[in-house]
Amino acid sequence: MDKQGRWRNKTVSFRMSNEEIRLLNNLVSLSGLTKQDYIIKRLLCKDVVVVGNTRVYKALKNHMEQIFTELKRLSTMQEIDDVTLSTIQFIGQILQGMKEEKQ
């Protein structure tokens, strides 16, 4: 049983490329959700609401450090990969939501 009292006894599996799994893992860690909860919300077209907590802040800090290191390494912006770009966009959405919530 999950937190809402649902019995989850069905397994769904699929294959992903290295880039896709890297992006999924980045988005999951930044969301603060479990991978299962994140995937279910996205598959069912539900909003992923990021609730700030120490785990999310730590993930934000770590991903921003990784992005900074990656950007320093690049000689042109055309070299940036899709995973890093998507991660930057998701971080931007999180920070925008935090800004709006604060106001």
Side-chain angles (χ1 to χ4, degrees):
M1 297 275 212
D2 68 359
K3 294 176 187 174
Q4 285 77 32
R6 295 175 293 210
W7 178 248
R8 289 185 168 162
N9 61 347
K10 301 296 179 194
T11 300
V12 176
S13 63
F14 48 91
R15 298 181 189 282
M16 297 178 79
S17 69
N18 287 336
E19 294 80 16
E20 291 167 335
I21 197 68
R22 200 171 112 222
L23 178 56
L24 176 63
N25 288 336
N26 288 350
L27 299 177
V28 167
S29 69
L30 289 167
S31 74
L33 299 172
T34 64
K35 189 178 285 188
Q36 175 178 311
D37 287 339
Y38 181 85
I39 290 171
I40 289 171
K41 284 184 180 292
R42 297 299 294 172
L43 287 174
L44 300 178
C45 299
K46 294 183 180 179
D47 290 335
V48 174
V49 178
V50 178
V51 178
N53 59 36
T54 54
R55 195 165 98 188
V56 170
Y57 289 122
K58 184 177 178 182
L60 271 170
K61 178 183 174 286
N62 291 340
H63 283 286
M64 290 175 79
E65 287 173 353
Q66 290 171 1
I67 289 167
F68 179 68
T69 302
E70 178 69 11
L71 291 176
K72 285 192 316 186
R73 185 188 65 75
L74 300 176
S75 59
T76 67
M77 284 305 290
Q78 283 131 351
E79 294 178 28
I80 195 165
D81 64 278
D82 291 339
V83 173
T84 303
L85 191 57
S86 295
T87 303
I88 291 170
Q89 290 171 335
F90 191 62
I91 289 172
Q93 291 173 348
I94 292 170
L95 295 175
Q96 183 65 34
M98 291 169 68
K99 178 182 173 187
E100 290 170 2
E101 187 177 294
K102 192 174 183 180
Q103 293 175 348

